[in-house]
Amino acid sequence: MPRRSRWPAAVTSLAVAVLTMVALASPTSAGPASAGPASAGDPVEQARARLEEAQAAAAAAADRYEGTLTERDRVDREITGLEARIVEIEREIVGVEKEVTLLRARRIALRELVEERAADLYRSGDPSDWLGAIDDGENAGRRRKLGESAIDADLAHVELLAATTEELEATRRDLDTQRADLDRRRNELDGRRAELDGLAAQLESQRADFERKVEEANAALEKAEALGAILASGTPVMGDAVLTAGDVAGWYRTTGSKARLADGLTIDDLAAIFIEEGAAEGVRGDVAFAQSYLETGGFSFPGGGQVSPDDNNFAGLGACDSCSTGRRFPTARDGVRAQIQHLRNYADGDSTAASLGNAPSPYWYGSDPATAAENFDTFYAKGWAPIWEMMGKGKWATDSGYAGKVLAIYERMGNYAVGV
């Protein structure tokens, strides 16, 4: 799966905005490899190349920023887990100490009892008391045997208590070792957390300077968006679907692909969802289906990817080079809706949460409605790709051939629909 470069939050962070401003303003930012021979004398193509390079740099910076936040969250979670484990071990140590103290007291009491029994037996066997022994007869012998048996039992119990005490003391030593290891790990995590806090404090101290550069970058981005509108002569992301759900599903069955979809969903069901959700947001759902076909390996979700059929994630949302998994959606419609709304955000520079056909996806833009609306409205790459030919190179994916691959699939779908 291609490396992703997209985030639902307002990732027009200070560093991202600075990168965008610098890349757009610098006459050397594109370089000969970015512009290519054909664009040497074409200012529009050169501007597009610089814009795409700036967008890729901004997306990469946002990826690093997200990775830093993820790392800090992971450290916080591990610290919380360690603290809970330390408390648990301390309780175990207290419990073991109580048991050891109790066992030692019982051993002392048993030894005293053994000594008393031994003394009683000695007295009962005193040869000077031969008249008492004659009088007692057989009863005295039985009492002595019972006394000896009781002593043997008590001694065996003492040995058992001693063995149990040794086991508990070994357990205590093991708990002490675990506690020491946890303390060392906690110190390491505290150091790492302090580093992250220091970085945050450093960025905060530069806040005023970053805000000024954000204003400059936003002005440059407005010019880039105007350029994007001029260049929107390719395959628009926005618009009505040309193909029907029947066309899409029928084409899919000719590909030989084996769909692995959750909850008994069929490819016909999924195709209908793409067309419906696309129509709700004014996005071409048929092209979005082609995009998902590419992203999911024909909806087969091949092994080793960051998403699985149960994730209902058909566009690699949330997946990136430094991520272990992508985003998970409870239903297929939720996954398609997030994808369609995110496509609109990339394509429509004037889009707002209030203008959406459905509320911003809570599974992509945020569970709180107000936060989700703000995240949609402030998406850092809003309007960067009004046409599919501008996708890739840091917009949705870093693969420079990403848009061509999507459109090649869409072309095959169209050929099927018209009988070519």
Side-chain angles (χ1 to χ4, degrees):
M1 180 175 296
R3 177 178 175 274
R4 305 293 156 213
S5 298
R6 50 194 179 276
W7 296 267
V11 196
T12 47
S13 65
L14 303 179
V16 169
V18 172
L19 284 171
T20 304
M21 181 274 294
V22 172
L24 289 172
S26 172
T28 61
S29 61
S34 299
S39 63
D42 187 341
V44 173
E45 289 299 325
Q46 290 176 358
R48 175 182 287 181
R50 287 196 297 271
L51 173 61
E52 290 178 343
E53 183 177 348
Q55 291 169 342
D63 194 7
R64 292 192 296 272
Y65 175 74
E66 289 292 322
T68 299
L69 294 183
T70 299
E71 171 68 9
R72 190 170 66 179
D73 290 343
R74 185 195 65 77
V75 169
D76 287 340
R77 288 194 299 272
E78 188 169 350
I79 288 175
T80 300
L82 284 175
E83 290 174 343
R85 180 56 182 152
I86 287 172
V87 170
E88 181 182 345
I89 286 180
E90 288 176 345
R91 290 200 193 100
E92 292 181 26
I93 289 174
V94 171
V96 168
E97 288 177 343
K98 288 181 179 179
E99 290 188 46
V100 169
T101 300
L102 178 61
L103 288 175
R104 286 174 178 168
R106 293 177 62 185
R107 286 172 60 193
I108 293 172
L110 274 175
R111 287 189 177 280
E112 291 176 352
L113 179 60
V114 168
E115 291 174 358
E116 291 176 2
R117 291 184 187 278
D120 289 341
L121 285 178
Y122 178 80
R123 286 192 296 270
S124 66
D126 188 352
S128 62
D129 190 17
W130 60 273
L131 289 175
I134 293 174
D135 292 338
D136 290 341
E138 186 176 343
N139 290 335
R142 281 198 299 269
R143 284 198 301 272
R144 183 174 184 84
K145 288 181 180 180
L146 290 173
E148 291 173 347
S149 298
I151 289 174
D152 291 341
D154 289 339
L155 289 174
H157 196 184
V158 168
E159 291 178 358
L160 178 60
L161 290 176
T164 303
T165 301
E166 289 178 1
E167 292 177 0
L168 287 174
E169 289 173 342
T171 299
R172 167 58 195 269
R173 289 191 296 272
D174 180 63
L175 290 173
D176 287 339
T177 300
Q178 292 183 44
R179 171 60 194 268
D181 291 341
L182 290 174
D183 285 339
R184 282 193 295 271
R185 180 56 180 160
R186 171 61 194 270
N187 289 336
E188 293 173 359
L189 291 174
D190 285 342
R192 178 58 178 156
R193 188 63 166 82
E195 291 176 5
L196 294 172
D197 288 341
L199 178 60
Q202 180 182 359
L203 292 174
E204 183 64 26
S205 68
Q206 301 171 1
R207 182 179 181 85
D209 184 49
F210 275 131
E211 288 178 349
R212 177 181 60 80
K213 292 179 179 179
V214 165
E215 293 177 1
E216 296 172 358
N218 283 336
L221 183 57
E222 287 179 3
K223 295 177 182 179
E225 291 172 339
L227 175 61
I230 294 174
L231 298 175
S233 58
T235 308
V237 175
M238 303 293 295
D240 296 330
V242 175
L243 307 180
T244 67
D247 293 333
V248 172
W251 167 81
Y252 179 86
R253 280 187 279 271
T254 70
T255 65
S257 300
K258 302 297 182 183
R260 297 169 58 216
L261 304 173
D263 302 323
L265 193 75
T266 67
I267 203 67
D268 296 87
D269 297 331
L270 187 60
I273 291 173
F274 268 94
I275 300 303
E276 292 166 4
E277 291 296 322
E281 305 301 350
V283 172
R284 297 180 63 181
D286 49 357
V287 186
F289 184 95
Q291 177 190 30
S292 290
Y293 183 91
L294 173 65
E295 290 275 3
T296 61
F299 300 101
S300 65
F301 299 92
Q306 294 183 15
V307 294
S308 67
D310 291 336
D311 292 332
N312 290 305
N313 183 346
F314 307 107
L317 293 174
C320 65
D321 285 351
S322 60
C323 305
S324 58
T325 61
R327 195 66 61 86
R328 178 179 174 81
F329 299 91
T331 69
R333 186 173 292 277
D334 287 313
V336 174
R337 179 167 297 174
Q339 176 184 352
I340 293 292
Q341 290 179 345
H342 208 42
L343 283 170
R344 178 169 177 180
N345 230 342
Y346 265 111
D348 183 1
D350 296 324
S351 62
T352 63
S355 68
L356 291 175
N358 296 296
S361 168
Y363 309 104
W364 181 239
Y365 289 104
S367 57
D368 175 68
T371 300
E374 180 182 0
N375 287 341
F376 183 91
D377 291 345
T378 58
F379 176 53
Y380 82 101
K382 186 180 290 291
W384 278 11
I387 59 175
W388 273 99
E389 284 80 357
M390 296 177 71
M391 285 292 190
K393 302 178 184 179
K395 296 180 288 294
W396 206 286
T398 54
D399 180 5
S400 60
Y402 182 75
K405 294 173 183 177
V406 172
L407 294 177
I409 294 171
Y410 183 66
E411 182 179 2
R412 296 199 297 272
M413 292 168 60
N415 290 340
Y416 167 83
V418 298
V420 176

